[in-house]
Amino acid sequence: YTWPNPAYDYVEEFLWLELTGFAAIPALCGPNAANPNGTTPSIQAQWLRTAYHDMATFNAGVGGIDGSLFFELDRAENVGVGLSNTRNQFIKHISKYTPIPDLIAAGAVVAVGQCGGPSIPFKPGRVMAAAAGPSGVPVPTGSLADHTAAFQRQGFTATEMIGLVACGHTLGGVTPADFPSINTGTVIAPFDDTRTFDNHIATNYISGPNINPLVKGPAVTDSDARIFASDGNVTMNSFASSATTFNSVCASLLSRMINTVPTGVTLRDPVVPIPFKPRDFLLSITPSGTLNLQVTADIFGASVINPSRVVTLHWADRKSTTCASGACSASPTSTTSNAALRNGNTLQSYKFSVTVSATASFSSFWFTVDEAGNGANVVTQNNGGANYPVDDTVVNVPAYSCGLFSGSNIARITTAVRTDGTTQASGVSVEAMFQNQVAMRADLTTVAATLGTSPIVSPVSQYAYYTALIPGDSSLSCQYLNFEFSATFGGVVHAGALLGGACNVRSIHIAAGCSST
Ligand code: HEM
């Protein structure tokens, strides 16, 4: 991993640092004293079922995890309020870097992990379907032959079918409103006696108590009974006798399930947490015409919170000159920690903000980390040796950028392009990302920025100001999610930082509610 990598950074922060609240949506899995048998709906179970139902229509390179399920919720094979609840949660997290099908796959990974199941690598890169696809999700009244054929079409053998169903039905149960003929009660009938992701789906089936509503009748809907017994219970016995076998088989099968994608879609490398990484980098011009660099250094891992640790930011100026000892270094302006992230991880963050003249500017930065705070063992974090690069060609003008602009424009984004009084930039533009919750995708609009002045920021001889007015419907208070700006200069495209819009839970680097002047 080398910084910056916006697509990787966004997903890593979304999935591991939980900055958007996605992984925090599911309440803790149990065992829960009030509901030891899982008679209340489990968000984790809904998320895992969602992933299977999206994948289950895969056929010869078409379909798979492509989000088409959310256009298919009116089909009988997709009955269940859990699926529409999941859609309503996931559409709030659509972004350029997290399309619906990646959210569906990530949801399965998070759900299994939150319930104590195995860790499944998450690879991003899925592509959202434009419309509903073919049907074909197995239903409980299907015959064993129907189900075996359906799983074969999905890419799983008869034995793997037993495994995948057991790995799914270790969570959740049958809801009376969805399947009144199977569950005649008033609360969810769980598949096994725990809410956690464990081999009780198998131990209960082999040794009792057998509470699985798809095993204990009525016979016509006993699909789990038919599937589990289809190899003479060999697979279910192996799961019942070894929790480790169950977990490792599930990790492999569920990983294949979420990575079943249409031909032509290529998944990227798994997004794993980075133990030390800069986040929320922003280079901007202050109203007095100086340059401000903001960045947060994140330290992530099993138990990283250490009040003694001293983290220092260092930088080189735009000529790559390193200052005399200590003159180009700074201490954090604030430190925060989070002791309870997904899978037992913790996070300690050090926020920095330093201001220099536009002449001096920046070309790179790096950090030193003194773990004990006594100078005995100081480690340099420098992006694998090359330092974290700073491009000061395109910088943000936060004092003249804002969202929820009145009238027909919903945001004004001002950027400063380094010209040093000579060459003019071309193609200065702002990409605005709208969350299209009907088509369930991120719509990207590029708006050209025009050369002008800023009434708020002092003119600086090194920079020219470009402003883009982002059109939209201001009656919708939550329409845009974020903005990225870039300029072509000397034939090279220079990108600025990502700005979070008003309906982004990560509303970074942009003020809401500016006036029209
Ligand atoms: C022949 C194949 C399958 C059939 C017939 C089947 C059938 C069902 C039925 C009838 C329900 C109850 C849904 C409700 O009440 O809303 C259910 C729930 C569930 N299924 Fe399956 N299923 C199959 C395979 C799978 C697979 C392969 C997975 C995942 C790997 C899976 C995951 C789940 C989960 C997690 C739930 C619980 C949902 C909740 O509690 O909200 N199922 N299944």
Side-chain angles (χ1 to χ4, degrees), residues 40-53 55 79-82 137-142 147 151 154 161 163-179 182 188 191 214 223-224 227 254 257:
T40 50
S42 153
I43 308 263
Q44 287 88 350
Q46 296 176 351
W47 286 17
L48 186 57
R49 182 171 179 243
T50 298
Y52 177 62
H53 278 234
M55 187 283 284
V79 66
V81 69
V137 181
V139 291
T141 46
H147 288 153
F151 278 79
Q154 296 157 14
M161 164 177 73
L164 201 56
V165 173
C167 299
H169 290 175
T170 182
L171 294 186
V174 177
T175 311
D178 299 338
F179 290 92
I182 302 177
I188 289 174
F191 291 124
L214 300 182
S223 53
D224 279 10
I227 289 171
L254 292 172
M257 175 178 94

Short mmCIF file of all heavy atoms in Angstrom, two decimals, residues 40-53 55 79-82 137-142 147 151 154 161 163-179 182 188 191 214 223-224 227 254 257, ligand 1:
data_model
loop_
_atom_site.label_atom_id
_atom_site.label_comp_id
_atom_site.label_asym_id
_atom_site.label_seq_id
_atom_site.Cartn_x
_atom_site.Cartn_y
_atom_site.Cartn_z
N THR A 40 -35.94 -11.95 18.24
CA THR A 40 -36.08 -10.61 17.65
C THR A 40 -35.28 -10.59 16.36
O THR A 40 -34.32 -11.35 16.23
CB THR A 40 -35.55 -9.52 18.59
OG1 THR A 40 -34.25 -9.90 19.02
CG2 THR A 40 -36.45 -9.33 19.79
N PRO A 41 -35.65 -9.75 15.41
CA PRO A 41 -34.93 -9.76 14.13
C PRO A 41 -33.44 -9.46 14.34
O PRO A 41 -33.08 -8.66 15.19
CB PRO A 41 -35.60 -8.63 13.34
CG PRO A 41 -36.90 -8.38 14.02
CD PRO A 41 -36.73 -8.77 15.44
N SER A 42 -32.64 -10.12 13.58
CA SER A 42 -31.20 -9.88 13.64
C SER A 42 -30.78 -9.18 12.35
O SER A 42 -30.98 -9.71 11.26
CB SER A 42 -30.48 -11.22 13.78
OG SER A 42 -29.19 -11.15 13.23
N ILE A 43 -30.21 -7.99 12.51
CA ILE A 43 -29.76 -7.25 11.32
C ILE A 43 -28.67 -8.05 10.61
O ILE A 43 -28.63 -8.11 9.38
CB ILE A 43 -29.20 -5.87 11.73
CG1 ILE A 43 -30.20 -5.12 12.58
CG2 ILE A 43 -28.73 -5.09 10.52
CD1 ILE A 43 -31.06 -4.15 11.90
N GLN A 44 -27.81 -8.69 11.38
CA GLN A 44 -26.74 -9.49 10.76
C GLN A 44 -27.34 -10.56 9.86
O GLN A 44 -26.87 -10.79 8.75
CB GLN A 44 -25.86 -10.17 11.83
CG GLN A 44 -24.94 -9.25 12.58
CD GLN A 44 -25.62 -8.63 13.80
OE1 GLN A 44 -26.82 -8.75 13.99
NE2 GLN A 44 -24.82 -7.98 14.62
N ALA A 45 -28.38 -11.25 10.36
CA ALA A 45 -29.00 -12.32 9.57
C ALA A 45 -29.60 -11.73 8.29
O ALA A 45 -29.47 -12.30 7.21
CB ALA A 45 -30.07 -13.01 10.41
N GLN A 46 -30.22 -10.57 8.42
CA GLN A 46 -30.83 -9.95 7.23
C GLN A 46 -29.76 -9.61 6.20
O GLN A 46 -29.96 -9.78 4.99
CB GLN A 46 -31.58 -8.69 7.65
CG GLN A 46 -32.75 -9.00 8.58
CD GLN A 46 -33.47 -7.75 9.09
OE1 GLN A 46 -33.01 -6.62 8.91
NE2 GLN A 46 -34.59 -7.95 9.74
N TRP A 47 -28.62 -9.13 6.66
CA TRP A 47 -27.55 -8.75 5.73
C TRP A 47 -26.98 -9.98 5.04
O TRP A 47 -26.67 -9.95 3.84
CB TRP A 47 -26.43 -8.00 6.48
CG TRP A 47 -26.79 -6.60 6.85
CD1 TRP A 47 -28.05 -6.05 6.90
CD2 TRP A 47 -25.88 -5.56 7.24
NE1 TRP A 47 -27.96 -4.74 7.30
CE2 TRP A 47 -26.66 -4.41 7.51
CE3 TRP A 47 -24.50 -5.48 7.40
CZ2 TRP A 47 -26.09 -3.19 7.92
CZ3 TRP A 47 -23.93 -4.27 7.80
CH2 TRP A 47 -24.72 -3.15 8.05
N LEU A 48 -26.84 -11.08 5.79
CA LEU A 48 -26.27 -12.30 5.18
C LEU A 48 -27.27 -12.89 4.17
O LEU A 48 -26.89 -13.29 3.07
CB LEU A 48 -25.94 -13.31 6.28
CG LEU A 48 -25.21 -14.57 5.81
CD1 LEU A 48 -23.90 -14.23 5.08
CD2 LEU A 48 -24.92 -15.50 6.99
N ARG A 49 -28.54 -12.90 4.53
CA ARG A 49 -29.56 -13.42 3.59
C ARG A 49 -29.60 -12.56 2.33
O ARG A 49 -29.74 -13.06 1.21
CB ARG A 49 -30.93 -13.45 4.28
CG ARG A 49 -32.04 -14.01 3.40
CD ARG A 49 -33.34 -14.22 4.18
NE ARG A 49 -34.40 -14.74 3.33
CZ ARG A 49 -35.55 -14.09 3.06
NH1 ARG A 49 -35.79 -12.90 3.58
NH2 ARG A 49 -36.45 -14.63 2.26
N THR A 50 -29.46 -11.25 2.50
CA THR A 50 -29.45 -10.33 1.35
C THR A 50 -28.36 -10.72 0.35
O THR A 50 -28.59 -10.77 -0.86
CB THR A 50 -29.21 -8.88 1.84
OG1 THR A 50 -30.29 -8.51 2.69
CG2 THR A 50 -29.08 -7.90 0.70
N ALA A 51 -27.16 -11.00 0.87
CA ALA A 51 -26.05 -11.35 -0.03
C ALA A 51 -26.37 -12.64 -0.78
O ALA A 51 -26.13 -12.74 -1.99
CB ALA A 51 -24.75 -11.48 0.77
N TYR A 52 -26.93 -13.62 -0.07
CA TYR A 52 -27.24 -14.87 -0.78
C TYR A 52 -28.31 -14.63 -1.86
O TYR A 52 -28.18 -15.09 -2.99
CB TYR A 52 -27.69 -15.97 0.20
CG TYR A 52 -28.08 -17.21 -0.58
CD1 TYR A 52 -27.14 -17.87 -1.38
CD2 TYR A 52 -29.39 -17.68 -0.59
CE1 TYR A 52 -27.49 -18.97 -2.16
CE2 TYR A 52 -29.75 -18.78 -1.36
CZ TYR A 52 -28.80 -19.41 -2.15
OH TYR A 52 -29.15 -20.48 -2.93
N HIS A 53 -29.35 -13.89 -1.51
CA HIS A 53 -30.43 -13.69 -2.50
C HIS A 53 -29.94 -12.91 -3.73
O HIS A 53 -30.43 -13.13 -4.83
CB HIS A 53 -31.63 -12.99 -1.85
CG HIS A 53 -32.51 -13.94 -1.09
ND1 HIS A 53 -33.87 -14.06 -1.30
CD2 HIS A 53 -32.20 -14.86 -0.15
CE1 HIS A 53 -34.36 -14.99 -0.50
NE2 HIS A 53 -33.37 -15.49 0.23
N MET A 55 -26.86 -13.07 -4.93
CA MET A 55 -25.99 -13.99 -5.67
C MET A 55 -26.77 -15.12 -6.33
O MET A 55 -26.40 -15.61 -7.40
CB MET A 55 -24.95 -14.59 -4.69
CG MET A 55 -23.86 -15.43 -5.31
SD MET A 55 -24.38 -17.10 -5.77
CE MET A 55 -24.42 -17.91 -4.20
N VAL A 79 -39.45 -12.68 -0.62
CA VAL A 79 -40.33 -12.19 0.44
C VAL A 79 -39.47 -11.90 1.68
O VAL A 79 -38.45 -12.55 1.91
CB VAL A 79 -41.44 -13.23 0.75
CG1 VAL A 79 -40.87 -14.52 1.34
CG2 VAL A 79 -42.46 -12.65 1.71
N GLY A 80 -39.88 -10.90 2.44
CA GLY A 80 -39.17 -10.66 3.70
C GLY A 80 -38.86 -9.20 3.90
O GLY A 80 -38.19 -8.58 3.07
N VAL A 81 -39.34 -8.66 5.02
CA VAL A 81 -39.10 -7.26 5.31
C VAL A 81 -37.60 -7.02 5.57
O VAL A 81 -37.10 -5.91 5.39
CB VAL A 81 -39.99 -6.81 6.50
CG1 VAL A 81 -39.54 -7.45 7.81
CG2 VAL A 81 -40.03 -5.30 6.62
N GLY A 82 -36.89 -8.08 5.94
CA GLY A 82 -35.44 -7.95 6.20
C GLY A 82 -34.68 -7.49 4.96
O GLY A 82 -33.71 -6.75 5.06
N VAL A 137 -34.09 -17.62 -7.09
CA VAL A 137 -33.68 -17.87 -5.71
C VAL A 137 -34.43 -19.11 -5.21
O VAL A 137 -35.65 -19.20 -5.39
CB VAL A 137 -34.00 -16.66 -4.80
CG1 VAL A 137 -33.54 -16.92 -3.37
CG2 VAL A 137 -33.37 -15.38 -5.35
N PRO A 138 -33.74 -20.10 -4.60
CA PRO A 138 -34.43 -21.30 -4.12
C PRO A 138 -35.48 -20.97 -3.05
O PRO A 138 -35.29 -20.06 -2.25
CB PRO A 138 -33.31 -22.14 -3.49
CG PRO A 138 -32.03 -21.59 -4.01
CD PRO A 138 -32.28 -20.14 -4.34
N VAL A 139 -36.58 -21.70 -3.09
CA VAL A 139 -37.65 -21.49 -2.10
C VAL A 139 -37.80 -22.79 -1.28
O VAL A 139 -37.43 -23.87 -1.76
CB VAL A 139 -38.99 -21.11 -2.78
CG1 VAL A 139 -38.89 -19.73 -3.39
CG2 VAL A 139 -39.40 -22.15 -3.82
N PRO A 140 -38.34 -22.70 -0.05
CA PRO A 140 -38.33 -23.88 0.83
C PRO A 140 -39.19 -25.04 0.33
O PRO A 140 -38.99 -26.17 0.75
CB PRO A 140 -38.85 -23.34 2.17
CG PRO A 140 -39.37 -21.98 1.92
CD PRO A 140 -38.77 -21.47 0.66
N THR A 141 -40.12 -24.76 -0.57
CA THR A 141 -40.95 -25.86 -1.11
C THR A 141 -40.26 -26.59 -2.26
O THR A 141 -40.80 -27.58 -2.77
CB THR A 141 -42.29 -25.30 -1.63
OG1 THR A 141 -42.00 -24.14 -2.41
CG2 THR A 141 -43.24 -24.93 -0.50
N GLY A 142 -39.07 -26.15 -2.66
CA GLY A 142 -38.38 -26.80 -3.78
C GLY A 142 -37.94 -28.22 -3.40
O GLY A 142 -37.73 -28.54 -2.23
N HIS A 147 -33.03 -27.84 -5.80
CA HIS A 147 -32.02 -27.08 -5.05
C HIS A 147 -30.61 -27.43 -5.52
O HIS A 147 -29.77 -26.55 -5.67
CB HIS A 147 -32.20 -27.32 -3.55
CG HIS A 147 -33.43 -26.64 -3.01
ND1 HIS A 147 -34.11 -27.07 -1.91
CD2 HIS A 147 -34.11 -25.57 -3.47
CE1 HIS A 147 -35.15 -26.28 -1.69
NE2 HIS A 147 -35.17 -25.36 -2.63
N PHE A 151 -27.99 -24.67 -6.97
CA PHE A 151 -26.65 -24.40 -6.44
C PHE A 151 -25.57 -24.68 -7.49
O PHE A 151 -24.56 -23.99 -7.55
CB PHE A 151 -26.40 -25.18 -5.13
CG PHE A 151 -26.98 -24.49 -3.93
CD1 PHE A 151 -28.33 -24.56 -3.64
CD2 PHE A 151 -26.18 -23.70 -3.10
CE1 PHE A 151 -28.89 -23.88 -2.54
CE2 PHE A 151 -26.71 -23.01 -2.01
CZ PHE A 151 -28.07 -23.11 -1.73
N GLN A 154 -25.29 -21.78 -9.51
CA GLN A 154 -24.60 -20.71 -8.78
C GLN A 154 -23.10 -20.99 -8.62
O GLN A 154 -22.35 -20.14 -8.12
CB GLN A 154 -25.22 -20.56 -7.37
CG GLN A 154 -26.67 -20.11 -7.37
CD GLN A 154 -27.40 -20.51 -6.09
OE1 GLN A 154 -26.79 -20.88 -5.08
NE2 GLN A 154 -28.72 -20.43 -6.12
N MET A 161 -23.41 -27.13 -1.32
CA MET A 161 -24.76 -26.62 -1.03
C MET A 161 -25.11 -26.85 0.45
O MET A 161 -25.64 -25.94 1.11
CB MET A 161 -25.79 -27.34 -1.93
CG MET A 161 -27.22 -27.20 -1.48
SD MET A 161 -28.38 -27.99 -2.62
CE MET A 161 -28.09 -29.73 -2.25
N GLY A 163 -23.07 -27.12 2.91
CA GLY A 163 -22.26 -26.19 3.69
C GLY A 163 -22.80 -24.77 3.63
O GLY A 163 -22.99 -24.12 4.66
N LEU A 164 -23.10 -24.30 2.44
CA LEU A 164 -23.53 -22.90 2.31
C LEU A 164 -24.85 -22.65 3.04
O LEU A 164 -25.04 -21.61 3.69
CB LEU A 164 -23.63 -22.51 0.83
CG LEU A 164 -23.57 -21.02 0.52
CD1 LEU A 164 -22.29 -20.37 1.07
CD2 LEU A 164 -23.64 -20.77 -0.98
N VAL A 165 -25.78 -23.61 2.95
CA VAL A 165 -27.06 -23.43 3.64
C VAL A 165 -26.83 -23.42 5.16
O VAL A 165 -27.36 -22.57 5.88
CB VAL A 165 -28.08 -24.51 3.22
CG1 VAL A 165 -29.35 -24.41 4.06
CG2 VAL A 165 -28.41 -24.38 1.74
N ALA A 166 -25.98 -24.35 5.65
CA ALA A 166 -25.71 -24.38 7.10
C ALA A 166 -25.01 -23.09 7.53
O ALA A 166 -25.32 -22.54 8.60
CB ALA A 166 -24.85 -25.60 7.44
N CYS A 167 -24.08 -22.59 6.72
CA CYS A 167 -23.36 -21.35 7.07
C CYS A 167 -24.32 -20.16 7.10
O CYS A 167 -24.12 -19.22 7.86
CB CYS A 167 -22.24 -21.07 6.08
SG CYS A 167 -20.98 -22.35 6.02
N GLY A 168 -25.33 -20.18 6.25
CA GLY A 168 -26.32 -19.09 6.26
C GLY A 168 -27.29 -19.24 7.41
O GLY A 168 -27.57 -18.28 8.13
N HIS A 169 -27.76 -20.46 7.63
CA HIS A 169 -28.83 -20.66 8.61
C HIS A 169 -28.29 -20.84 10.03
O HIS A 169 -29.04 -21.23 10.91
CB HIS A 169 -29.73 -21.81 8.17
CG HIS A 169 -30.55 -21.46 6.95
ND1 HIS A 169 -31.37 -22.33 6.28
CD2 HIS A 169 -30.67 -20.28 6.27
CE1 HIS A 169 -31.95 -21.73 5.26
NE2 HIS A 169 -31.53 -20.47 5.22
N THR A 170 -27.02 -20.53 10.26
CA THR A 170 -26.55 -20.41 11.65
C THR A 170 -27.03 -19.08 12.24
O THR A 170 -27.03 -18.89 13.45
CB THR A 170 -25.01 -20.53 11.76
OG1 THR A 170 -24.66 -20.45 13.13
CG2 THR A 170 -24.29 -19.42 11.00
N LEU A 171 -27.44 -18.16 11.38
CA LEU A 171 -27.96 -16.86 11.85
C LEU A 171 -29.45 -16.77 11.54
O LEU A 171 -29.91 -17.27 10.51
CB LEU A 171 -27.24 -15.70 11.14
CG LEU A 171 -25.76 -15.49 11.41
CD1 LEU A 171 -25.29 -14.19 10.74
CD2 LEU A 171 -25.45 -15.43 12.89
N GLY A 172 -30.18 -16.08 12.38
CA GLY A 172 -31.56 -15.69 12.07
C GLY A 172 -32.55 -16.84 12.14
O GLY A 172 -32.31 -17.87 12.78
N GLY A 173 -33.66 -16.65 11.45
CA GLY A 173 -34.72 -17.64 11.49
C GLY A 173 -35.83 -17.29 10.52
O GLY A 173 -35.66 -16.48 9.62
N VAL A 174 -36.99 -17.90 10.74
CA VAL A 174 -38.13 -17.69 9.84
C VAL A 174 -39.12 -16.74 10.53
O VAL A 174 -39.53 -16.95 11.68
CB VAL A 174 -38.79 -19.04 9.49
CG1 VAL A 174 -40.03 -18.82 8.61
CG2 VAL A 174 -37.78 -19.95 8.77
N THR A 175 -39.48 -15.69 9.81
CA THR A 175 -40.36 -14.65 10.33
C THR A 175 -41.82 -15.03 10.05
O THR A 175 -42.14 -15.39 8.91
CB THR A 175 -40.04 -13.31 9.61
OG1 THR A 175 -38.63 -13.12 9.66
CG2 THR A 175 -40.74 -12.13 10.24
N PRO A 176 -42.71 -14.94 11.05
CA PRO A 176 -44.09 -15.38 10.83
C PRO A 176 -44.80 -14.60 9.72
O PRO A 176 -45.54 -15.19 8.93
CB PRO A 176 -44.76 -15.16 12.19
CG PRO A 176 -43.81 -14.37 13.01
CD PRO A 176 -42.45 -14.54 12.43
N ALA A 177 -44.54 -13.31 9.63
CA ALA A 177 -45.24 -12.51 8.61
C ALA A 177 -44.82 -12.93 7.20
O ALA A 177 -45.61 -12.85 6.26
CB ALA A 177 -44.93 -11.03 8.82
N ASP A 178 -43.57 -13.38 7.05
CA ASP A 178 -43.07 -13.73 5.72
C ASP A 178 -43.50 -15.14 5.32
O ASP A 178 -43.81 -15.40 4.15
CB ASP A 178 -41.54 -13.66 5.69
CG ASP A 178 -41.02 -12.26 6.01
OD1 ASP A 178 -41.80 -11.30 5.83
OD2 ASP A 178 -39.86 -12.12 6.43
N PHE A 179 -43.45 -16.09 6.27
CA PHE A 179 -43.77 -17.50 5.98
C PHE A 179 -44.75 -18.03 7.02
O PHE A 179 -44.41 -18.85 7.86
CB PHE A 179 -42.48 -18.34 5.99
CG PHE A 179 -41.58 -18.04 4.82
CD1 PHE A 179 -40.57 -17.08 4.93
CD2 PHE A 179 -41.74 -18.70 3.60
CE1 PHE A 179 -39.75 -16.79 3.85
CE2 PHE A 179 -40.92 -18.41 2.53
CZ PHE A 179 -39.93 -17.46 2.64
N ILE A 182 -45.01 -21.75 7.65
CA ILE A 182 -43.87 -22.43 8.30
C ILE A 182 -43.81 -22.02 9.78
O ILE A 182 -43.59 -22.83 10.65
CB ILE A 182 -42.54 -22.07 7.60
CG1 ILE A 182 -42.60 -22.45 6.12
CG2 ILE A 182 -41.37 -22.75 8.29
CD1 ILE A 182 -41.35 -22.07 5.33
N ILE A 188 -40.02 -14.51 15.58
CA ILE A 188 -39.13 -15.25 14.67
C ILE A 188 -38.83 -16.63 15.25
O ILE A 188 -38.55 -16.76 16.45
CB ILE A 188 -37.83 -14.45 14.45
CG1 ILE A 188 -38.15 -13.22 13.60
CG2 ILE A 188 -36.75 -15.30 13.80
CD1 ILE A 188 -37.01 -12.27 13.41
N PHE A 191 -33.25 -20.66 13.62
CA PHE A 191 -32.76 -21.92 13.03
C PHE A 191 -32.01 -22.77 14.05
O PHE A 191 -31.91 -23.97 13.90
CB PHE A 191 -31.82 -21.62 11.85
CG PHE A 191 -32.51 -21.03 10.65
CD1 PHE A 191 -32.10 -19.81 10.13
CD2 PHE A 191 -33.56 -21.70 10.03
CE1 PHE A 191 -32.72 -19.28 9.00
CE2 PHE A 191 -34.18 -21.18 8.90
CZ PHE A 191 -33.76 -19.96 8.38
N LEU A 214 -37.08 -25.15 9.18
CA LEU A 214 -36.98 -25.76 7.85
C LEU A 214 -36.53 -27.22 7.96
O LEU A 214 -36.13 -27.83 6.97
CB LEU A 214 -36.02 -24.96 6.95
CG LEU A 214 -36.39 -23.49 6.69
CD1 LEU A 214 -35.38 -22.84 5.73
CD2 LEU A 214 -37.80 -23.36 6.12
N SER A 223 -36.88 -27.76 3.56
CA SER A 223 -35.76 -27.78 2.61
C SER A 223 -34.43 -28.04 3.30
O SER A 223 -33.58 -28.74 2.76
CB SER A 223 -35.72 -26.48 1.81
OG SER A 223 -35.70 -25.37 2.67
N ASP A 224 -34.25 -27.50 4.53
CA ASP A 224 -32.97 -27.76 5.22
C ASP A 224 -32.84 -29.26 5.53
O ASP A 224 -31.75 -29.83 5.40
CB ASP A 224 -32.87 -26.95 6.53
CG ASP A 224 -32.43 -25.50 6.28
OD1 ASP A 224 -32.39 -25.08 5.10
OD2 ASP A 224 -32.13 -24.79 7.27
N ILE A 227 -31.82 -31.03 2.34
CA ILE A 227 -30.44 -30.68 1.93
C ILE A 227 -29.43 -31.28 2.91
O ILE A 227 -28.45 -31.92 2.51
CB ILE A 227 -30.31 -29.15 1.82
CG1 ILE A 227 -31.10 -28.66 0.60
CG2 ILE A 227 -28.85 -28.72 1.74
CD1 ILE A 227 -31.25 -27.16 0.49
N LEU A 254 -18.48 -18.72 1.90
CA LEU A 254 -19.07 -17.37 1.91
C LEU A 254 -18.22 -16.40 1.10
O LEU A 254 -18.72 -15.48 0.46
CB LEU A 254 -19.27 -16.87 3.34
CG LEU A 254 -20.33 -17.63 4.16
CD1 LEU A 254 -20.32 -17.20 5.61
CD2 LEU A 254 -21.73 -17.45 3.55
N MET A 257 -19.15 -16.99 -2.30
CA MET A 257 -20.51 -16.45 -2.54
C MET A 257 -20.43 -14.94 -2.85
O MET A 257 -20.99 -14.48 -3.85
CB MET A 257 -21.39 -16.70 -1.32
CG MET A 257 -22.76 -16.08 -1.42
SD MET A 257 -23.77 -16.46 0.04
CE MET A 257 -23.48 -15.02 1.05
C1 HEM B 1 -32.22 -23.99 -0.69
C2 HEM B 1 -31.68 -22.86 -0.24
C3 HEM B 1 -32.33 -21.97 0.78
C4 HEM B 1 -33.65 -21.86 1.14
C5 HEM B 1 -34.83 -22.63 0.58
C6 HEM B 1 -33.72 -20.87 2.17
C7 HEM B 1 -34.88 -20.49 2.81
C8 HEM B 1 -34.97 -19.55 3.81
C9 HEM B 1 -36.18 -19.11 4.43
C10 HEM B 1 -37.57 -19.60 4.09
C11 HEM B 1 -35.86 -18.18 5.36
C12 HEM B 1 -36.80 -17.36 6.24
C13 HEM B 1 -36.84 -15.94 5.70
C14 HEM B 1 -37.80 -15.02 6.41
O1 HEM B 1 -38.56 -15.45 7.28
O2 HEM B 1 -37.81 -13.82 6.08
C15 HEM B 1 -34.44 -18.04 5.34
C16 HEM B 1 -33.73 -17.20 6.15
C17 HEM B 1 -32.38 -17.02 6.07
N1 HEM B 1 -31.55 -17.54 5.10
FE1 HEM B 1 -32.00 -19.00 3.81
N2 HEM B 1 -32.48 -20.38 2.42
C18 HEM B 1 -31.61 -21.03 1.59
C19 HEM B 1 -30.25 -20.82 1.50
C20 HEM B 1 -29.55 -19.86 2.21
C21 HEM B 1 -28.16 -19.56 2.04
C22 HEM B 1 -27.22 -20.27 1.08
C23 HEM B 1 -27.85 -18.55 2.89
C24 HEM B 1 -26.54 -17.82 3.11
C25 HEM B 1 -25.36 -18.31 2.90
C26 HEM B 1 -29.06 -18.23 3.62
C27 HEM B 1 -29.15 -17.29 4.62
C28 HEM B 1 -30.30 -17.06 5.35
C29 HEM B 1 -30.31 -16.23 6.54
C30 HEM B 1 -29.13 -15.55 7.19
C31 HEM B 1 -31.63 -16.21 6.98
C32 HEM B 1 -32.18 -15.49 8.21
C33 HEM B 1 -32.77 -14.17 7.82
C34 HEM B 1 -33.37 -13.44 9.01
O3 HEM B 1 -33.43 -13.96 10.12
O4 HEM B 1 -33.78 -12.27 8.79
N3 HEM B 1 -30.08 -19.03 3.17
N4 HEM B 1 -33.92 -18.88 4.38
#
